[in-house]
Amino acid sequence: MESIRMVDLVGQYAKIKEEVKDEINKVLDSATFINGPAVSDFQSELEKYLSVKHVIPCANGTDALQVIMMAYDFPKGAEVIVPSFTYVATVEVIALLGLKPVFVEVYPDTFNIDIEDLESKITGQTVAIVPVHLYGQCADMERLMRVAKKHDLKVFEDTAQAIGADYKFSDGNTIKAGTIGDAGATSFFPSKNLGAYGDGGAIMTNSDELAAKLRMIVNHGQSERYYHDSIGVNSRLDSIQAAILKVKLKYLDSYNTARQEVADKYNSAFVATDEIITPVTADFTSHVYHQYTIKLKDASKRNELNKYLAAQGIPSMIYYPVPNHLQKAYSYYGYKKGEFKITEDLCSRVISFPIHTEMESEQQDFIIENVLKFFSL
């Protein structure tokens, strides 16, 4: 049996190698390395896939979030609501722009932003909400959008972990994650469900006016070369990465289906122990399982399980061991331990197992066998 990886990018590449090489060679032959045809082609195809008017490619997912907020030019100190249980990049850009992150709780079953807590934190200084579609399923966007509309707030979806997920509204209308709010941001980091072979990201919006601003900002604030209408950044998706993503986009739905099949097998197997709480998918969303994350009933066993699996040659990861409100970098905002009991509890008991498009049955059986064995010791 081959060594087990959290994400098998080697095996995935082997299946699309010739297609990827052909697309990369087109870029090399044309020497259009920046803003070449591969970028515009990928942009158009992603717009079609997401059924969104505008995709603005950029250098990475963190930049995508930052550029969105730059486009709105919020006053310094304005408040942006964000869950504490998320990767630091979501919070980082808020602080970098001189805005104030206002942390809120998540639901203990789906790990996504708590709508009631969100509404309780809105003040006269609040300007935006950043829901994070964590681990691969959508936050409760219908309720969230009602709250945002009621309080005249902007909504920026962090879709880095949920590209391809579907959100179903109560009227039956289904929309892709990242295309519901005023803007959405995603990452093409290699391990993502749609990953490049380097850094990359994109912004999604249905607003013509916002799209025009975003395109200027990612390219030094210019709409015409050497004429700079706003302060911008240098954040572009290069042509080689776009060429790779164009190939992989064709397979995104099959990649997500493969992940769902792995998750289903884990869920069925872990019924055998009451020590594990398997992931819950809300009824308004599909789950594309960027991560397969369980909760342990006994949090004290989490780190032991992590070490035990490593000793068997099985990787596992803890996303995330420290909530953002308790990170040293954000201590300036004055949050204390105990303020977000659900988030802090989750950080002590979640653990993620390998899940990817190339998972072999033998490998998954070995993982399941050893997880269950740990709890029988």
Side-chain angles (χ1 to χ4, degrees):
M1 184 174 63
E2 293 185 8
S3 60
I4 298 172
R5 302 179 175 96
M6 285 295 291
V7 181
D8 184 6
L9 297 179
V10 174
Q12 188 186 75
Y13 171 62
K15 292 182 178 179
I16 58 173
K17 181 184 294 187
E18 296 309 315
E19 290 180 81
V20 168
K21 285 182 176 179
D22 287 346
E23 291 299 326
I24 290 176
N25 284 336
K26 289 178 185 177
V27 176
L28 297 177
D29 290 340
S30 68
T32 53
F33 302 118
I34 301 294
N35 288 334
V39 178
S40 56
D41 288 350
F42 170 65
Q43 172 189 315
S44 296
E45 290 179 20
L46 187 56
E47 286 169 347
K48 182 178 179 181
Y49 174 82
L50 295 172
S51 296
V52 68
K53 284 185 74 175
H54 302 284
V55 165
I56 298 90
C58 60
N60 55 70
T62 308
D63 277 7
L65 284 168
Q66 179 175 321
V67 168
I68 292 169
M69 294 185 206
M70 288 176 69
Y72 282 92
D73 196 23
F74 295 127
K76 299 295 182 185
E79 297 175 353
V80 178
I81 293 177
V82 62
S84 181
F85 192 57
T86 181
Y87 184 57
V88 71
T90 317
V91 180
E92 189 173 52
V93 296
I94 299 169
L96 277 170
L97 294 174
L99 307 173
K100 180 182 178 182
V102 174
F103 295 113
V104 296
E105 274 286 20
V106 295
Y107 293 120
D109 53 354
T110 65
F111 312 123
N112 277 327
I113 193 165
D114 183 317
I115 308 300
E116 293 82 2
D117 193 39
L118 179 165
E119 189 160 21
S120 74
K121 299 292 175 62
I122 295 171
T123 73
Q125 303 302 310
T126 309
V127 293
I129 307 166
V130 184
V132 180
H133 302 314
L134 199 68
Y135 298 147
Q137 68 172 315
C138 297
D140 191 348
M141 292 301 296
E142 186 166 10
R143 292 175 62 205
L144 188 147
M145 294 302 291
R146 282 201 298 265
V147 171
K149 183 176 181 180
K150 175 182 173 182
H151 297 276
D152 193 25
L153 304 177
K154 300 300 180 184
V155 176
F156 311 138
E157 298 172 70
D158 184 336
T159 319
Q161 299 187 13
I163 189 77
D166 291 318
Y167 185 90
K168 182 181 287 187
F169 283 84
S170 56
D171 64 2
N173 191 28
T174 298
I175 298 179
K176 290 292 186 186
T179 69
I180 303 166
D182 296 278
T186 197
S187 166
F188 302 128
F189 188 79
S191 63
K192 294 295 193 284
N193 292 34
L194 179 60
Y197 295 159
D199 273 320
I203 305 164
M204 297 79 75
T205 184
N206 284 302
S207 166
D208 295 339
E209 181 182 0
L210 178 58
K213 289 183 182 178
L214 295 168
R215 292 191 199 285
M216 282 198 300
I217 293 172
V218 299
N219 193 25
H220 297 291
Q222 61 186 346
S223 55
E224 182 181 351
R225 197 170 188 183
Y226 302 127
Y227 291 84
H228 304 272
D229 298 329
S230 66
I231 295 174
V233 295
N234 180 17
S235 183
R236 297 177 297 227
L237 178 67
D238 74 67
S239 296
I240 287 178
Q241 298 304 334
I244 294 162
L245 289 164
K246 187 169 68 168
V247 173
K248 295 185 74 176
L249 179 59
K250 295 187 296 183
Y251 298 100
L252 178 57
D253 285 343
S254 64
Y255 289 164
N256 288 341
T257 298
R259 287 172 175 270
Q260 289 162 347
E261 289 171 353
V262 172
D264 288 345
K265 184 171 178 177
Y266 277 139
N267 289 341
S268 297
F270 294 146
V271 170
T273 176
D274 61 2
E275 300 272 4
I276 290 174
I277 302 169
T278 53
V280 172
T281 303
D283 58 8
F284 49 73
T285 179
S286 64
H287 202 318
V288 297
Y289 289 101
H290 175 59
Q291 305 295 350
Y292 179 84
T293 302
I294 64 158
K295 294 186 295 183
L296 297 188
K297 285 193 176 178
D298 184 350
S300 69
K301 294 182 179 179
R302 196 268 303 277
N303 291 348
E304 294 176 37
L305 174 60
N306 180 249
K307 292 176 183 176
Y308 175 82
L309 293 176
Q312 316 309 313
I314 301 169
S316 59
M317 293 292 290
I318 297 167
Y319 306 108
Y320 302 95
V322 181
N324 282 298
H325 70 277
L326 296 181
Q327 293 283 1
K328 184 178 178 180
Y330 303 103
S331 60
Y332 170 82
Y333 297 106
Y335 290 95
K336 305 296 182 185
K337 188 173 183 179
E339 286 190 59
F340 297 93
K341 290 183 170 58
I342 292 171
T343 290
E344 292 170 29
D345 180 65
L346 290 174
C347 287
S348 73
R349 68 177 70 245
V350 295
I351 187 167
S352 300
F353 298 147
I355 188 165
H356 53 77
T357 59
E358 311 307 311
M359 179 73 78
E360 296 176 2
S361 182
E362 181 184 18
Q363 291 178 321
Q364 191 173 9
D365 289 342
F366 183 71
I367 295 166
I368 291 167
E369 175 188 341
N370 278 278
V371 170
L372 295 177
K373 183 177 180 181
F374 171 81
F375 291 111
S376 67
L377 294 175

